[in-house]
Amino acid sequence: MAQFPALPLWTDAFIADTTHLTAEETGGYIMLLMCAWRRPDCDLPDDDVLLQRWSRIGARRWPKVRDRVMSFWTLADGRWTQKRLAREHEFVSHRRSVLSANAKAKHRKNKETPSAIGEQNACKTNAPTPTPIFLTGAEAPSSLEKQTFDLGRQLLGRAAGGLVTKLRRHHHDDWNAVLQTLRLASEKAAPAEYVGAILRASPSTRARPQAADLPEFDLVNR
């Protein structure tokens, strides 16, 4: 089993970044992302035969689509890496270490003052959820909103207020998701165009999804 069986995936960003790919190329790219995610160093070998096989694209088709599929990756020292995927892998690794350290500390504390409930809770270990957390400690929602609007003004100028408001509605008032979208936009040459593409690629409604409509596991906020 992979070290982290759940792969973080920002669907809006993925759709916006891969609109130029065919279904075949998109499928190959996703397969390579998953293969890299399962490897200890979150990378791919510089082996064209393996890349073709792992992408699930036919041997005759691979030479025709290889450049577009691998354009998302960077080759260095004989291995292919994907910047964003590596950041997610590092985050989840760190999160797992923190959870493990907290569980051990709790276990030691409960051993010093044993109780039936304490011993039971100390034995529970939560697998790291690949859902990065922006707020830490006692930060209030207003602090997150201010941080989001400040970043929006830096990236989007006069259009910041309107675009941030649209992103808030798009993400159903989830300020963490809005901030993450802006952080992704900050990596682009044209942040405002990127935000516009996100809004156009997957239009949302004002209504918040019902619990029954949500997946059984958390998908991917960084």
Side-chain angles (χ1 to χ4, degrees), residues 26-38:
T26 302
Y29 178 41
I30 292 177
M31 287 303 304
L32 292 178
L33 286 174
M34 290 191 290
C35 288
W37 183 257
R38 291 173 57 85

Side-chain angles (χ1 to χ4, degrees), residues 97-123:
S97 298
V98 171
L99 288 173
S100 177
N102 289 344
K104 290 177 181 178
K106 186 175 182 180
H107 180 67
R108 287 194 297 269
K109 181 179 179 180
N110 287 332
K111 285 186 66 176
E112 294 172 359
T113 57
S115 67
I117 296 178
E119 291 175 0
Q120 181 179 5
N121 290 338
C123 293

Side-chain angles (χ1 to χ4, degrees), residues 78-90:
R79 64 193 189 103
W80 292 92
T81 57
Q82 216 269 10
K83 184 178 179 181
R84 174 155 181 76
L85 188 70
R87 286 204 308 267
E88 296 290 355
H89 197 272
E90 181 180 357

Side-chain angles (χ1 to χ4, degrees), residues 134 141 144-145 148-149 164 168 173-180:
F134 294 121
L144 182 60
E145 293 178 25
T148 303
F149 274 106
V164 170
R168 176 180 62 78
D173 297 322
D174 184 345
W175 286 103
N176 274 327
V178 177
L179 181 57
Q180 173 59 13

Side-chain angles (χ1 to χ4, degrees), residues 2-183:
Q3 184 180 20
F4 306 124
L7 168 64
L9 179 65
W10 273 97
T11 54
D12 285 356
F14 184 87
I15 291 173
D17 289 344
T18 59
T19 53
H20 64 292
L21 299 183
T22 64
E24 177 185 48
E25 293 161 354
T26 302
Y29 178 41
I30 292 177
M31 287 303 304
L32 292 178
L33 286 174
M34 290 191 290
C35 288
W37 183 257
R38 291 173 57 85
R39 290 166 59 86
D41 294 325
C42 196
D43 61 1
L44 297 171
D46 186 22
D47 184 325
D48 214 40
V49 174
L50 282 179
L51 294 177
Q52 175 265 313
R53 290 177 179 174
W54 290 352
S55 73
R56 307 286 180 86
I57 296 175
R60 292 185 179 180
R61 290 286 304 160
W62 176 248
K64 299 179 181 180
V65 302
R66 179 185 184 279
D67 288 346
R68 281 191 294 276
V69 173
M70 300 309 296
S71 65
F72 297 93
W73 302 79
T74 300
L75 177 62
D77 300 324
R79 64 193 189 103
W80 292 92
T81 57
Q82 216 269 10
K83 184 178 179 181
R84 174 155 181 76
L85 188 70
R87 286 204 308 267
E88 296 290 355
H89 197 272
E90 181 180 357
F91 173 86
V92 176
S93 296
H94 175 71
R95 182 65 176 160
R96 187 182 69 163
S97 298
V98 171
L99 288 173
S100 177
N102 289 344
K104 290 177 181 178
K106 186 175 182 180
H107 180 67
R108 287 194 297 269
K109 181 179 179 180
N110 287 332
K111 285 186 66 176
E112 294 172 359
T113 57
S115 67
I117 296 178
E119 291 175 0
Q120 181 179 5
N121 290 338
C123 293
K124 293 180 181 180
T125 56
N126 295 322
T129 301
T131 304
I133 301 172
F134 294 121
L135 288 179
T136 57
E139 289 184 66
S142 60
S143 174
L144 182 60
E145 293 178 25
K146 182 179 184 303
Q147 184 180 358
T148 303
F149 274 106
D150 286 346
L151 179 58
R153 282 189 288 270
Q154 293 176 19
L155 296 176
L156 309 173
R158 295 180 179 178
L163 288 177
V164 170
T165 298
K166 289 180 181 179
L167 283 174
R168 176 180 62 78
R169 294 172 180 169
H170 178 81
H171 290 300
H172 307 290
D173 297 322
D174 184 345
W175 286 103
N176 274 327
V178 177
L179 181 57
Q180 173 59 13
T181 299
L182 292 177
R183 286 179 172 174

